Each structure stands twice: as structure tokens, then as C-alpha cells.
Amino acid sequence: MWTTLTNLDLNSVGLSLSLVLIFLVLSEIIRIISSKAKTPPGPQPLPFVGTLPYFLMNPMEFIRSMSQYGEMTTVYFGRKPTIVLNTIQITKEALVQNASSFSGRPPLPVLDWVTDGYGIVLATFGHSWRQQRRFALHTLRNFGLGKKSVEERVSEEGCYLVAEMLKVEGKPFDPQHAIQNAVSNIICSIVFGDRFDYDNKRFEYLLNILKENIIQSGSLIGQIFNLLPFIKHFPGPHQKIYQNAEELKGFIREAVQEHRETLDPDNPRDFIDAYLLEIEKQKSNDDSTFHEENMVMSTADLFLAGTDTTSTTIRWGLIFLMQNQDVQDRCHEEIVRVLGYDRLPTMDDREKLPYTYATVHEIQRCGNIAPAGVIHETTQPAKLQGYNIPKETPILTNLTAILSDKGHWKYPDTFNPENFLDDDRHFYKPEAFLPFSLGPRVCLGETLAKTELFIFITSLLQRIHFLWPSGEQWPDMDGIVSVVRSPRSFNIICHSRGSKE
């Protein structure tokens, strides 16, 4: 009798759970059908997880497929619709003409976990973001951004980078650390007031955990965290993201403490000094967002953004240049004809080096380090191409489609600097070239990145011939798609180019 009742109870529980599950799935399917009727077309989402599995299986193929649905596509990373903008025209309409409606940032649990909403890059579109961004731009300009002083720092660092690479002349080596260290030293000189030697183990470790976090945040574990943020209370690989972020913030806090102890109010040395003075200045202002947590995260934002994006672009550049030896040789010949082997390049040389300048831009176009842009969010209800877009809808820009649009590029699917040269062999920039995005959220470090890319790449091509190691396979050109699209690790061989060649 008891056994019969127990089996009956278990059967009842099992049946009830099955009915609840069926009801939830049916409700989700009805919700998806209702949602799809109001949004632009897109791939069919799965219940609860949306189109996320398709993306995770092959991120670049998924992004490339978006433009088949038209100017706008709807995808679902989880249950919420995200609108993808596939053309330069619709991107301008949203991010420039309707900037106030499309300049938000959605909450991304894995990143909010480590930033607490502070800083600049991921901050909500509002008062704090405006104050922090305005202050950062003003302060960076005061410390040389866009001026000859920063150019000179980049040129000097370019000499260190060339020397570092030629230490292992003729032998295969991974250039990642040297490039990352060189690029990072520029923003470090502005933010921390100092550069770091290439053999500094502490700094090498920080650069490694920075790279690891950028990859992990956009990986499978990062996406799972975004769907199920409560897992932050449990052990697992996601805890490494938090630990790495805390170590980086600890490094910045140590620098802040050192600056606080040696601060001269009349002679600020760098961004941290300027921020400490601003905190003091704003103490009596109830509206101020200047405090230590915002200082740490704003500094981290500048350090991260000023390190990984440019160094990743240069690494892609080396791959394209080794795959296209004719381009590498033409750049070198042009550089030596104008500069010789010893004069360091400056930004004033761009007009005299049109092919090299075009090559730098083509590296950015094909490197495509942000294939879906940096995510935005609507700050209020908006209308686009006849669709009503609710407040707090995530927005992505399909830079992959825009940077390879056959209507805007002569050679959309191949690496060819001719994409940036007119019929008279002068440099020109098509309107579809927007690796730094558009509108109020345009990349804060655009000026610095342009300076670094031109001077570093020109310096390297002036003095070094890059070759692919014999017998080694070329890397998968889709790379690793995360917060930044980066190439997988690879080796190169360097040979010095000198006046006797």
C-alpha cells in the first residue's frame, strides 16, 4: 500500500513538473513569436537562450550572416532582443542623428561585477559618465594627447620596440609581449607618469592577466555569467575574472597611494595627480562624481583601452604584412625613400607616405578588432526604419559588414591598401571606415590610437623585414572573438633592414 502511494506521488510530481516545463516552453515560444512580430527580422531564437548558441558555435560566421536580413537584424543573447545595425547609413541615423537615444550602455553582469558601474567605457549614459569622460579628455590633452610631446614618446618607444624585436633576429618568437608592452607604455606614461621595461616581470604579469580577462569576459563562461549572474556566489572559472580584475585594481591603488604621498599641487605629473587634485577641488560640490573608486576604474579604463586594442591591431598587421610580402616591401621602399633608415617618423609624414598610411588603415579594416562594435543601449523609446524600439534595447553595430560592404570598398574581401588610395595615388578615407565608432560614445583614445598605429607600424617597417617561420601553419584568420577580436598566438622571424641592403 505504502509503495503504491509513494509511486503515485512520484508519478504525480513527475507529471506536474513535466506539465510546468511544457507550459514554460510554450509560453516562451508564444513570447518569442510576439516579440519577433514587432522587431526587424533575424535568425530564429531558441527558448530561454535565444541565438546565443549559434553565436558561440562560430562567432564570426554568425556576425557575417547578419546582413542577409537587411539593414537591421534582431538577435537574442538570452531572452532579450538586441538590434544589429548592418550598414553605415543606418548606423549614422542611430548613433549620430539620434545620438541621445542610442548612447546608453546596457548592464553586462560579468563586467558590472568587476567595475561596480564606475569608470567611463561601460558607465551608464548620464551625469557621472559625462563628468568622467569630459575630465579624462581634458586631462589627456593637457598631458600631450594630440600634441608633439606624445608623438615624441611614441617615436622613442618605437625605437625600444625595434631593438627588442631584433634581440632575437633570425629566430622564431611570439611578438605579443613586446608589442603589448610598447603600446601600454604610452598610456602608462600619461596615466602613471612612467614606462615599464620589457623585462619587468610584474608588469608582464599584469599584461597577461589583462589579456586573459578580455578573452574570458566574452567567452562561454562570460556569456553563461551574463545569463546567470547569481553564479558569482559559487566557485568556478568565472572567479578568475574577478581575481584578475582585483589584482589590476590593486596595482592602480598602489600607484594612487604613491602619487598621494608625493603630490605637488602646483606641478601635476600625470592623470592620477590631476584626478587627486580634482577630488580635492570638488569636495564641496554635492553633484561631484569624483572619488577614489571612480578614479581607479577610470584609470583602469584608460589602461585597458590604451593597451589591448592598439596592440591587437598591430599583431593582426604583422600577419597581413607577412601574408602580403609585396605590400611590406612597397611600404619599406616608400619609407626609406622619404625618411631614410635613421629619421624617426612623425605624423607630419603621413602625406609623404600615402601607401604606408593606406596600409595602416587597411590593417585596421581587415583586423576588425570589434566585429560587432561596442554595445550600446537605447536611453528612451526610439524609432528606426519604421520600427518602434523600446527603451533599454541593446544595440550592436555590425562593423564586419560595414568594413566589407561592396558598395563602399574596391577590394572588400582581400587585404589591399588600394582601398584607401584614389586614382591619383593620394590617401583618402571612405565614409564606411569607422573602427572607432561614431557619436558621443566614439572611442576616447582615437587620437592616441591613430598616432601609435602610424608611428609604430612605420618604425617597424622602416627597420625590420618580417617573415613567417618555415613549416608553421598560418593562424585561423577568424581569431578569438571576445570583447576584442584577437589573433591566436603566432611566431614571427625578424631580419634587420639596414643601409647596406
Side-chain angles (χ1 to χ4, degrees), residues 458-489:
T458 303
S459 297
L460 290 171
L461 290 172
Q462 180 183 30
R463 297 297 307 278
I464 300 176
H465 182 207
F466 297 99
L467 293 169
W468 192 258
S470 177
E472 292 197 17
Q473 285 191 332
W474 291 100
D476 173 11
M477 295 305 286
D478 277 351
I480 301 169
V481 180
S482 185
V483 176
V484 172
R485 172 179 170 261
S486 58
R488 298 184 185 278
S489 296

Side-chain angles (χ1 to χ4, degrees), residues 157 176-192 194-196 198 203-204 206-207 210 248 251 302-311 314 448 452 456:
E157 195 64 44
Q176 178 169 336
H177 172 66
I179 294 170
Q180 200 175 21
N181 205 135
V183 172
S184 189
N185 272 342
I186 306 305
I187 194 65
C188 284
S189 68
I190 297 170
V191 172
F192 300 114
D194 203 359
R195 66 179 294 278
F196 296 88
Y198 296 97
F203 194 60
E204 181 179 0
L206 283 171
L207 292 177
L210 165 63
L248 178 59
F251 172 78
L302 294 174
F303 177 59
L304 269 65
T307 295
D308 197 69
T309 51
T310 303
S311 61
I314 294 173
L448 180 60
E452 290 174 338
F456 277 139

Side-chain angles (χ1 to χ4, degrees), residues 51-80:
T51 52
L52 186 58
Y54 310 144
F55 171 79
L56 292 173
M57 279 191 290
N58 193 328
M60 285 307 296
E61 187 57 39
F62 181 78
I63 294 168
R64 282 191 286 263
S65 72
M66 291 299 96
S67 55
Q68 69 178 291
Y69 297 100
E71 278 200 287
M72 298 163 64
T73 306
T74 304
V75 297
Y76 291 75
F77 296 114
R79 302 179 72 238
K80 191 172 184 178

Side-chain angles (χ1 to χ4, degrees), residues 129-418:
W129 171 77
R130 289 188 185 90
Q131 277 200 341
Q132 298 302 313
R133 183 181 171 94
R134 192 182 304 120
F135 173 80
L137 278 171
H138 175 72
T139 305
L140 291 176
R141 289 190 188 113
N142 284 348
F143 288 106
L145 192 65
K147 300 176 184 176
K148 285 289 182 186
S149 55
V150 163
E151 275 190 47
E152 290 164 3
R153 290 185 213 179
V154 178
S155 293
E156 182 183 9
E157 195 64 44
C159 294
Y160 287 123
L161 178 58
V162 168
E164 183 69 15
M165 287 191 160
L166 290 177
K167 282 181 181 178
V168 285
E169 183 173 2
K171 298 176 183 177
F173 76 101
D174 186 341
Q176 178 169 336
H177 172 66
I179 294 170
Q180 200 175 21
N181 205 135
V183 172
S184 189
N185 272 342
I186 306 305
I187 194 65
C188 284
S189 68
I190 297 170
V191 172
F192 300 114
D194 203 359
R195 66 179 294 278
F196 296 88
D197 291 333
Y198 296 97
D199 58 359
N200 185 313
K201 295 301 180 185
R202 164 78 166 144
F203 194 60
E204 181 179 0
Y205 173 70
L206 283 171
L207 292 177
N208 285 338
I209 66 172
L210 165 63
K211 187 71 181 176
E212 182 182 8
N213 258 25
I214 286 173
I215 292 173
Q216 289 291 341
S217 296
S219 69
L220 174 61
I221 188 60
Q223 297 298 339
I224 291 173
F225 190 103
N226 286 336
L227 288 175
L228 306 167
F230 63 83
I231 67 172
K232 70 181 180 182
H233 301 295
F234 300 97
H238 56 281
Q239 293 294 343
K240 185 64 175 170
I241 298 173
Y242 187 81
Q243 292 164 13
N244 285 347
E246 286 303 300
E247 286 200 57
L248 178 59
K249 286 190 278 188
F251 172 78
I252 294 171
R253 287 192 180 98
E254 287 176 17
V256 169
Q257 186 56 35
E258 290 171 7
H259 278 65
R260 189 178 278 118
E261 292 169 359
T262 57
L263 179 64
D264 178 356
D266 296 322
N267 294 289
R269 297 158 292 187
D270 48 40
F271 179 83
I272 292 177
D273 272 1
Y275 204 109
L276 287 169
L277 293 173
E278 190 67 18
I279 290 175
E280 192 63 29
K281 177 182 171 184
Q282 297 277 355
K283 263 187 176 179
S284 59
N285 182 2
D286 295 335
D287 207 25
S288 172
T289 61
F290 293 91
H291 49 75
E292 183 152 335
E293 287 307 308
N294 244 340
M295 172 169 57
V296 169
M297 277 318 306
S298 291
T299 302
D301 278 351
L302 294 174
F303 177 59
L304 269 65
T307 295
D308 197 69
T309 51
T310 303
S311 61
T312 298
T313 303
I314 294 173
R315 289 174 65 225
W316 277 118
L318 291 182
I319 294 174
F320 295 128
L321 290 166
M322 288 184 290
Q323 288 177 335
N324 298 271
Q325 288 290 329
D326 58 323
V327 174
Q328 190 177 163
D329 290 341
R330 280 186 65 180
C331 286
H332 172 73
E333 289 163 9
E334 181 182 68
I335 293 164
V336 171
R337 186 173 67 251
V338 174
L339 305 179
Y341 283 94
D342 300 316
R343 182 166 84 73
L344 301 178
T346 70
M347 295 302 280
D348 291 338
D349 293 317
R350 288 172 292 181
E351 286 188 18
K352 305 168 202 168
L353 301 170
Y355 190 81
T356 304
Y357 195 38
T359 299
V360 172
H361 282 72
E362 184 69 350
I363 287 169
Q364 284 185 273
R365 186 185 76 87
C366 293
N368 184 24
I369 65 166
V374 179
I375 196 163
H376 286 228
E377 182 182 71
T378 50
T379 59
Q380 58 193 21
K383 196 154 190 167
L384 208 57
Q385 293 289 296
Y387 288 100
N388 292 313
I389 301 175
K391 181 181 178 181
E392 297 180 351
T393 298
I395 306 291
L396 289 173
T397 305
N398 190 348
L399 293 185
T400 301
I402 294 169
L403 292 173
S404 59
D405 187 330
K406 290 178 173 59
H408 289 87
W409 303 100
K410 290 180 281 187
Y411 306 97
D413 301 319
T414 56
F415 181 86
N416 193 330
E418 301 287 336

